[in-house]
Structure formats: structure tokens, C-alpha cells
Amino acid sequence: MEQTEIQEKIFAYMQQMKGKKKLKEKDIIKKIMEDTSQDKDTVKKALRAMIDVGKVMYSYGGGSSSVEIPSEEYLKEKGLI
Amino acid sequence: MGGKYKTPMLDELEKGPWPSFVTEIKKAAKRTQMADDELGQVEKSYVTKRGYWKHGGIVGVLGYGGGVIGRYSSLPDEFPGIAHFHTVRLNQPSGFFYTAEALRMIMDIWDKYGSGLTNMHGSTGDLVLLGTTTENLEPLFAEYSSRGWDLGGSGSAMRTPSCCVGQARCEWACIDTMNICNEVTQYYQDQLHRPSFPYKFKIKVAGCACDCVAAIARADLSIIGTWKDNIRIDQAEVKKYADAGMNIQAEIIDMCPTDCMSYDGKTMKINDVQCNRCMHCIAKMTKALKQGKVKGATLLVGSKAPIVVGSLLSWVVVPFIELKAPFDNLKDLADKMIEWWDDNAKPRERIGELIEVKGMRPFLEAIEMPPVPQQVREPRKDPFFFWSESDFN
Amino acid sequence: MSLPERQTDIGPPHYEKFLPPIVKKNYGKWAYHEVLTPGTMVHVAEGGDKLYTVRVGSPRILSTDTIREICDLAEKYCDGYLRFTTRNNVEFLLSDQKKVDPLLAELKAKKYSVGGIGPRISNIVHTQGWVHCHSACTDASGLVKAIMDELHDYFTTKALPNKVRLAVACCVNMCGAVHCSDIAVVAIHRKVPVIDDVNVGKMCEIPTTVASCPTSAIRPNPKTKSITINEEKCMYCGNCFTVCPPIEIHNPEQDGVAIVVGGKVGSLRTNPKFSKLAIPYIPNEPPRWPSTVAAIKNILDVYAANAKKHERVGEWIERVGWEDFFKLTGIPFTFQHIDDFTFMRDTMRNSAAFKY
């Protein structure tokens, strides 16, 4: 499976869960491993590549870290769009 | 700039001999609106007896999830300068050593992008830069990282390891604390910057049982230097302490917790088999008594502050381990501990709490350590215990 | 203006870059050290080299201006080498003894507090407080300043039976080793939080919030899509506020500080100890917290008058017994002192032998 394909699945899952549950990196990797039968390292690599370009980002709240889809406002502040 | 606010409450804290944090904020407030608005908001807190900060959210540098803590005033209209007031954690060099040249460089960049206020240092050990905006984060990071300075940890991640001054300036350091600290920091860069753990994980390295970095009280993995063989005694130096007026019987012999020492006015004797290596006699008679030569560390696990179910002090899991660069044996053990914790912990559960829930046995089995009496103060009292299949073979 | 290219995961610079030549030369070869004055010590290497350390206090919050001034001093007297301690002191590292007195003179002229070495108090480890933290229920820096002003002589000159480690935490999260200090201040809440049902429903994960409570006082409330708190079980720890900020735990008129005593982290003589409750509540009294400062001074004075040489606060109290501690200090004993959280089994007396 191409990395872009895995990344599309990651993004779709994150969009689906937005506002329902704060997803930790581990939650996302576990779910996509199940859905795609890819190994942990491959999924993690795909997710990290998205984090590196700001497609998704680490967040902090409620005493722990999670991964979220950034708002347009934040991306503007960061100069990414 | 500066002087936008009247601060009669805070002005009271510029009186007295101890250096004043208010004076520090005022110095920065002469140059930055951020620090001036900070002064105004803190004055308000002193009147109303409450804080006005919000925190969290997506704030950081691209690719990292640690090192920046999002902080916002809850009164941005009243104090617009601190609408954003994020914290940046710069990973300190081991042992907190600096040159003036390096520190000035750090300050020059901070003056360009931030409030002009710092903490030297935060509780975990980072050099903390207090107060900047979201838009300044990327340039600030580019400036620091290109000059060899990286961010520390935050969130559910490996936190910036720290250590005592160790062999750089202490005769009691049984292990090279600064090298160990630097090595594990480098080894865990990914886990430090990208929060993927159930909760925080802290590592602290102390050179001896004096524990000047409080490793035993505030590190998930506490590494504390120790030795195995006999204490070396210089009888001539013992006599000099006596001649200088030390009451060796009262101050040393009677305070030995294992009652393993004697002194007849001429010769000091130590029954080393009974010594528990507490460091009292060595610390009080540093010229006369030296640790043995077989040196290493005790590894302890689990300490933390009260949240959630009460404070913990770390428990001994590995009584003695030799630690020689590049410390592969330590990294291997730490990996095993973290893997077991990561596989089993609920969100926001520290490793000490997980061991309490699961029991010490599965943890010791995961790190391949046998049970030994050094791990406990006393054996269990109740007749309830588990048996595994492996116990019957 | 273009920015330099960022690097990632390089870690901190290697400490060797910042070590004075005398330290590099004698790394791991120190023979002994002597405390010369409350603010100076000398470390002597096996080969005879001598390294002088001059320690000064700092408020931990430092402006870049002050750090530059410290850098100037380091360049003038110690070839630019300096370090910080785990308790936020600054240490000037001198290889030339002749420069020690001139440095001390300039530090005195510039009103730095020199001290903190040996059997006395060192700088107070503390947290961010109102200056920078969302969960603070007192101000750490202000308390530290007021306490250090009062105890200043114990930093700069006066000796105690042993070192006394002080700490201030602005809430029970305790960023710092407050729970194992000789004398520490920890800010506490005393009232059940007020729930903003609408925002709890919008902003918080209900299962996580329920799970955050150490006493199982929180239940989901399906009607409001929020939670309820059993007031009889709540111990006001504020962990629910941490995971779900619309559960407002702050109560400015009822929040305040507790004082805990007798903790230590070293294994010297006796095992490391947690600090235990001495005073359950003193109101917040900004800007200078006079009642809290007086209470700490009282405990320190009683310790200084009664402990044996080398006894830490906790060791002294264990020798004379807690019943004596309360008698000698005149601190009233209350229901709050009896553990009803996790340590009751270990802390109740089960012996017929005790003092009056």
C-alpha cells in the first residue's frame, strides 16, 4: 500500500473522530493497522510524515497529548497557508 | 515602554534583601509590552487572589509535540500583550554548565522573539523562556536549533532528563552523571519531542545517595550512584578531624544507621559487611573516608508527585549496575521498562501507579530482573499471593 | 530577512563545551572539598588543583538584563564559566583564588545574596504561580520572596543543625520535589468545584473526566451531558479541572496554603521521607503572606533550638515524636492531620507507648 493511501485513511479517521474523542498517536496507529493490515512502523512513518508538514499536529489538553487536525486560523498564524 | 500599570501590591515585593522577581519583570517591561502586560496581570492576581491563564491546544514547532507549552491570558482585552504568552523549553546542557558567550547568544535571540523573561531553570531542568507568540515559534526554533540548541520535552512524552553536577565537581559521584544524562537525552530524542507515551516519563541521575537532583522523589527512573566494596579510610585524616574539634563519637559513630563503625580515639574501624552505604560518614569526613572502588548505580522506579492517587518515592528494582559509556545496558533496561509501561498503562498513568495496579512481579519479569531482598524493606505480611505456572517447574 | 535552516532532534549541546579547563582536566579526579564561607567552597583535585565556587541566590525568574549582568561578572572573574544549581542558584567557577574576594566585593556592591552552602537554607525550589500557570491557587514567587526575606540570614550567615530544604508549590500538582522537603508550602483548595454543565458537555470527554477522580466522586450526568460530583467524597485535588477546565476549582476566598514538614531525598542516616502535614490551612495573604512566613519561621526556630547536629527536620521530629513536634511548635492538631486518603494504615499509632 502506498504511503499516500495510508495517509488518506489516517486523515479520514481523524476527521470522523473530530470532536468525539481526543486521539493519541497510539490510537490512530492501532486503528489504521487494523484497517489496512500494515505493520506498526509503516503506519507510524506515514503519520509522522503528515505531522512533519503540518497536515495534522500534536496538541495538548486535559493533561495529556493528542494528535489533531489544525484549524485554518492556526495554519495562517504559523504561515503554512 | 513600561510603567503602563500601577502595581502597589507587587511593589511591596521589591523590598527586602532577597532578589525580587518583580524587579526582574519590571526590567523586561521597560523593553517589551509582553512583560509590562504580564506585570499588570500579576498585579491584578494579587488583588483578586486568582490566576488568569489558560493553556493547551495545538501550539508548537512543526513536527514536534513537545518543548512548547501554549499559554494564553484569559483577559486578552485587558492585557493584549499577553494574549499569547507561550513557554518554550530549551534543553539545558547536562549539569547546567554554560559559558557567558553561549548564554548571551540565547538571550539575544530571546530578546528578539520573546518577553525577555526566563526561568533559570524549570523544575524538570529545562532552560525556560517565558512568553512568546505563536507566529514567533518557527523563527525562534530555527535560530536556536541552527546554533545547536534543541527543545526539551512536554506532554505525554519523555521529559528532559537531568542530573547533579557529578564528576565535574564532586568527589562523591560514583557514576558519570553528566555523560549518562547527555547520552539518554540523545538516545530518546524522538520520544522527547513527539509525545507517544501514556503520560510523562522522567529520568534523573544522581551521583550518590545524597541525591542533589532529588531523583528518588521525582523521576520515573531514578539512577543513583553507589559502590559495592569497602570504604577507604585515611586514619591520619581521621585524626585531623578529631584534632579540629569534631566529636567523632557523637557526630559519626552514633549517627551511623547500621552501627557498623567504631573509633577509639586513634583508629576508625568500619565493619563494611554491615554498611548500607548511606553516605553520612563520607559526607561529614570527606577528606578521611572515600567510597570503595567498585562503583555503579542503583536503579529505582516510580516516584511522582501526589496527583492522582498520592505521592510515591522510587522503589529499588536493580540494586547494582555498572555504568560505562555508552551505557547500552542502561538504555536496554530503560527501553524494557518503557515498553512494558507503554503496553499496559491507561492514559495519564505513571509507571509507579501501573506497578501498583499490576504488581511488581510482571514488571520485574518484563525487565528480566530476579526478585532480591534489596528491593523490599520487608516481605509481605498477608498470606495472599499469586502463583504462576512457572513457579511449579 | 532569511532565517537559518532549522535542525531537529539534535538534543542539547554537549556539556564539554561549557566546562572550565580546570574541570575538564580534573573530571572524575576530585579528592575533597571544603566549605570556606556560607557562599564559597573549594574543590581540591587529586593532583592539587583548586576550584573555587561562589554561590548566589536568584529569584529563578530572571530578565535577560540580569542574565547579561551575570555573564559580565563571569567573564570578569572566571573566564566566562558559570553554572546553575538544581535549586536555581548561580555558581561562579574560579580557578584563580585571587579573584574570589574581588568577585565577592562586586557581588556585595551589586546587592546579590551570597550563600546557601552548608548547614543552612538554600534557595527555595518553587513553581510558576500566578505569574504563568493556569492551575495556581497561590503565587509561588511572591511567597518565596517573602519567606527568603525573613530567613535571609539563614542563607547568608547563620548555621542550622543541618541543611534545610524549602519548597513552594502553587497547587497539588507539585512541579518540584515539594513532597520530600524539610519545610514546604503547598497551595490547596477547600471547596467542591463548580460545574459549568454547558461547557463540560462541549469541551470535555466525560469518561476521561470521571476516571480522573482519585476518590470516585465523579459520575456522568446523562441529562445534562455533563457530570455530577459527590460532595462527600471530593477532596478538592483539582485533577478534574486539569482534564476538564469548565469544572472550576478555584475559589479565591477559600483557597490557601498548607505547610508540610520533615521530608528529605538523601539516604544519609535515615531513609528518604515524604513531608507530612503540619498546618492544614493558612489563607492567601498577598502581597507578603505574613501568617505563612511567621509559621515557617516558627517551625525553623523550634527545629534549630531542639535538633541535634546533623539531624534534618524529619529526623529530629521522628526522634522526639510528632506529639512533641506539635507541643513544641504550638501548632494545633486537627482532623485534617489524620490520613483518610491512601496512607492511613501506615500512619495511625498502634502502640501503647507515646508521650504527652
Side-chain angles (χ1 to χ4, degrees):
Chain A
M1 190 180 274
E2 292 286 319
Q3 194 182 59
T4 49
E5 206 177 325
I6 300 170
Q7 288 174 336
E8 277 163 22
K9 286 193 188 297
I10 291 173
F11 199 75
Y13 176 56
M14 289 183 66
Q15 269 181 321
Q16 180 201 331
M17 297 302 284
K18 196 171 180 174
K20 288 178 194 152
K21 187 179 187 309
K22 282 185 185 131
L23 296 171
K24 298 183 192 324
E25 201 180 85
K26 203 191 299 180
D27 301 329
I28 299 167
I29 293 170
K30 211 170 142 192
K31 168 76 173 152
I32 303 304
M33 277 169 70
E34 280 168 18
D35 288 2
T36 63
S37 313
Q38 299 289 311
D39 65 50
K40 189 178 163 184
D41 282 349
T42 310
V43 179
K44 191 170 168 181
K45 225 174 165 177
L47 175 62
R48 289 287 175 84
M50 295 167 81
I51 290 170
D52 281 343
V53 296
K55 178 86 177 163
V56 299
M57 285 176 173
Y58 290 108
S59 179
Y60 180 84
S64 62
S65 304
S66 56
V67 183
E68 285 176 24
I69 299 169
S71 67
E72 253 184 48
E73 190 192 350
Y74 184 76
L75 291 172
K76 271 181 198 153
E77 261 179 311
K78 291 286 277 186
L80 290 169
I81 52 171
Chain B
M1 220 173 276
K4 185 168 153 192
Y5 304 95
K6 290 241 178 313
T7 55
M9 291 285 249
L10 293 180
D11 295 348
E12 288 298 311
L13 288 166
E14 291 196 276
K15 298 170 184 168
W18 188 249
S20 169
F21 73 101
V22 175
T23 307
E24 294 301 311
I25 300 175
K26 283 187 179 176
K27 280 185 193 174
K30 283 190 181 148
R31 293 180 289 110
T32 73
Q33 192 56 52
M34 278 190 137
D36 203 24
D37 279 3
E38 160 76 357
L39 195 68
Q41 182 171 308
V42 177
E43 174 73 14
K44 186 176 175 112
S45 287
Y46 269 66
V47 175
T48 60
K49 301 193 216 179
R50 60 162 308 150
Y52 296 97
W53 295 104
K54 296 187 291 182
H55 89 145
I58 298 187
V59 181
V61 302
L62 208 53
Y64 280 15
V68 178
I69 295 95
R71 189 79 58 186
Y72 306 87
S73 170
S74 61
L75 306 169
D77 296 333
E78 199 173 341
F79 304 103
I82 50 173
H84 290 192
F85 201 68
H86 309 320
T87 305
V88 178
R89 292 182 180 163
L90 271 194
N91 196 326
Q92 84 288 359
S94 291
F96 308 105
F97 281 89
Y98 295 92
T99 56
E101 188 191 358
L103 267 183
R104 273 208 202 93
M105 180 279 293
I106 294 171
M107 296 311 130
D108 289 347
I109 294 174
W110 185 231
D111 277 337
K112 202 162 143 190
Y113 295 104
S115 71
L117 290 170
T118 73
N119 281 159
M120 302 294 287
H121 294 75
S123 293
T124 299
D126 298 284
L127 192 169
V128 174
L129 304 168
L130 287 178
T132 188
T133 59
T134 302
E135 61 180 15
N136 278 345
L137 290 171
E138 290 299 331
L140 179 150
F141 179 61
E143 300 250 25
Y144 280 124
S145 65
S146 64
R147 287 170 175 82
W149 293 79
D150 205 339
L151 302 187
S154 64
S156 311
M158 177 64 74
R159 297 301 186 83
T160 310
S162 77
C163 64
C164 71
V165 71
Q167 296 179 345
R169 198 202 54 195
C170 183
E171 65 269 26
W172 302 328
C174 293
I175 47 175
D176 188 351
T177 58
M178 300 207 321
N179 197 4
I180 295 167
C181 180
N182 189 62
E183 279 285 331
V184 296
T185 306
Q186 292 292 350
Y187 182 68
Y188 287 116
Q189 281 296 294
D190 184 62
Q191 293 87 339
L192 214 145
H193 292 131
R194 295 169 194 81
S196 59
F197 289 166
Y199 203 19
K200 62 184 88 169
F201 194 93
K202 299 188 175 190
I203 298 178
K204 295 198 189 295
V205 196
C208 78
C210 293
D211 197 358
C212 291
V213 69
I216 206 164
R218 53 185 192 138
D220 296 274
L221 172 54
S222 319
I223 302 166
I224 300 179
T226 186
W227 71 97
K228 272 198 136 170
D229 51 340
N230 294 351
I231 292 176
R232 293 170 286 160
I233 309 173
D234 182 334
Q235 300 291 353
E237 289 292 342
V238 173
K239 188 166 182 306
K240 281 189 202 164
Y241 277 102
D243 291 346
M246 179 183 265
N247 182 343
I248 292 179
Q249 186 64 39
E251 292 184 43
I252 307 297
I253 310 297
D254 293 348
M255 293 193 116
C256 170
T258 62
D259 208 9
C260 73
M261 308 178 73
S262 65
Y263 181 62
D264 60 5
K266 284 182 197 136
T267 311
M268 175 171 281
K269 286 185 186 156
I270 299 177
N271 178 8
D272 283 276
V273 178
Q274 286 303 315
C275 171
N276 69 359
R277 300 168 187 80
C278 82
M279 283 296 296
H280 171 73
C281 60
I282 294 170
K284 302 307 166 202
M285 305 181 78
T286 188
K287 287 181 178 177
L289 303 176
K290 308 264 176 234
Q291 298 143 332
K293 290 183 167 176
V294 182
K295 291 176 178 173
T298 301
L299 304 186
L300 308 92
V301 165
S303 65
K304 53 177 277 296
I307 293 290
V308 181
V309 196
S311 335
L312 295 174
L313 280 155
S314 280
W315 302 303
V316 172
V317 293
V318 181
F320 187 85
I321 181 173
E322 254 192 70
L323 291 178
K324 298 255 155 62
F327 317 108
D328 288 336
N329 55 348
L330 174 68
K331 292 171 189 165
D332 181 52
L333 268 169
D335 278 344
K336 283 178 181 150
M337 291 175 189
I338 290 166
E339 192 186 343
W340 177 79
W341 169 59
D342 195 21
D343 286 346
N344 290 286
K346 291 183 298 192
R348 297 190 78 227
E349 191 170 42
R350 297 283 286 269
I351 193 167
E353 294 167 312
L354 180 67
I355 292 172
E356 272 198 307
V357 171
K358 296 263 176 195
M360 190 51 96
R361 178 172 184 160
F363 173 74
L364 290 176
E365 285 176 342
I367 65 166
E368 296 169 58
M369 268 303 296
V372 290
Q374 285 78 12
Q375 290 157 344
V376 298
R377 206 160 53 215
E378 58 188 27
R380 75 166 75 226
K381 301 176 188 87
D382 295 315
F384 314 132
F385 30 93
F386 289 110
W387 292 98
S388 297
E389 272 310 308
S390 62
D391 296 322
F392 296 107
N393 299 324
Chain C
M1 195 186 67
S2 72
L3 285 166
E5 193 175 341
R6 82 205 296 259
Q7 301 186 69
T8 54
D9 299 306
I10 55 170
H14 198 282
Y15 54 85
E16 268 186 6
K17 288 185 192 171
F18 309 121
L19 299 180
I22 185 174
V23 167
K24 262 191 205 165
K25 184 181 161 200
N26 296 291
Y27 198 96
K29 294 180 206 152
W30 296 103
Y32 65 90
H33 75 279
E34 281 178 309
V35 177
L36 304 172
T37 70
T40 59
M41 57 181 165
V42 60
H43 284 79
V44 182
E46 286 163 4
D49 284 351
K50 289 182 175 176
L51 172 67
Y52 294 86
T53 298
V54 174
R55 185 181 288 176
V56 304
S58 103
R60 189 172 81 132
I61 293 180
L62 291 174
S63 64
T64 51
D65 312 72
T66 298
I67 293 170
R68 286 200 178 86
E69 185 178 278
I70 291 166
C71 288
D72 292 343
L73 289 166
E75 269 174 351
K76 194 163 163 190
Y77 297 99
C78 20
D79 303 317
Y81 294 101
L82 73 160
R83 71 178 290 267
F84 291 79
T85 72
T86 49
R87 303 192 77 85
N88 312 313
N89 298 301
V90 182
E91 288 186 338
F92 296 97
L93 305 165
L94 299 89
S95 47
D96 183 355
Q97 190 191 1
K98 290 197 288 290
K99 290 184 178 167
V100 174
D101 284 339
L103 170 60
L104 289 170
E106 184 160 355
L107 288 168
K108 195 177 170 194
K110 290 195 154 76
K111 295 201 169 15
Y112 282 83
S113 293
V114 179
I117 303 175
R120 44 188 56 82
I121 63 170
S122 181
N123 203 344
I124 302 181
V125 164
H126 66 280
T127 57
Q128 298 289 16
W130 291 330
V131 168
H132 208 229
C133 184
H134 62 288
S135 91
C137 48
T138 193
D139 186 43
S141 308
L143 266 163
V144 167
K145 166 70 175 149
I147 297 165
M148 285 307 283
D149 280 343
E150 177 67 34
L151 304 182
H152 197 249
D153 288 350
Y154 287 106
F155 183 84
T156 55
T157 46
K158 281 187 187 171
L160 290 160
N162 199 337
K163 59 173 117 172
V164 174
R165 294 294 175 244
L166 303 167
V168 172
C170 59
C171 82
V172 296
N173 280 308
M174 292 192 186
C175 310
V178 168
H179 57 302
C180 296
S181 301
D182 291 277
I183 306 175
V185 179
V186 54
I188 53 154
H189 305 287
R190 300 192 301 163
K191 288 285 184 182
V192 176
V194 177
I195 307 161
D196 171 355
D197 284 327
V198 175
N199 279 314
V200 169
K202 266 192 233 163
M203 292 168 62
C204 309
E205 288 175 8
I206 301 301
T208 315
T209 310
V210 170
S212 74
C213 181
T215 62
S216 308
I218 301 181
R219 290 275 175 271
N221 183 351
K223 273 187 217 157
T224 54
K225 292 185 176 164
S226 175
I227 54 111
T228 56
I229 297 175
N230 180 340
E231 301 204 357
E232 285 175 15
K233 284 186 171 178
C234 176
M235 297 180 93
Y236 335 108
C237 74
N239 197 37
C240 54
F241 164 77
T242 300
V243 303
C244 176
I247 302 176
E248 178 56 271
I249 182 82
H250 294 95
N251 184 326
E253 290 316 311
Q254 292 300 327
D255 294 345
V257 303
I259 293 181
V260 294
V261 300
K264 77 193 216 0
V265 294
S267 294
L268 286 71
R269 301 170 299 283
T270 57
N271 288 344
K273 304 174 200 306
F274 291 118
S275 315
K276 287 108 188 167
L277 184 65
I279 302 177
Y281 178 74
I282 302 173
N284 267 326
E285 300 169 320
R288 294 198 69 101
W289 284 267
S291 307
T292 306
V293 172
I296 290 170
K297 181 74 171 28
N298 173 44
I299 294 167
L300 191 73
D301 285 345
V302 175
Y303 158 74
N306 290 278
K308 287 202 258 186
K309 193 172 181 186
H310 303 315
E311 269 180 341
R312 295 282 292 267
V313 171
E315 294 172 306
W316 157 63
I317 297 173
E318 283 181 8
R319 177 171 59 80
V320 301
W322 284 91
E323 63 272 39
D324 250 16
F325 169 80
F326 285 100
K327 188 171 80 182
L328 289 166
T329 55
I331 296 170
F333 191 81
T334 67
F335 282 121
Q336 280 75 28
H337 287 92
I338 302 176
D339 191 282
D340 44 19
F341 188 46
T342 49
F343 294 118
M344 180 184 158
R345 285 181 184 207
D346 303 336
T347 53
M348 293 306 294
R349 189 189 303 278
N350 35 27
S351 153
F354 45 83
K355 303 178 193 173
Y356 287 101

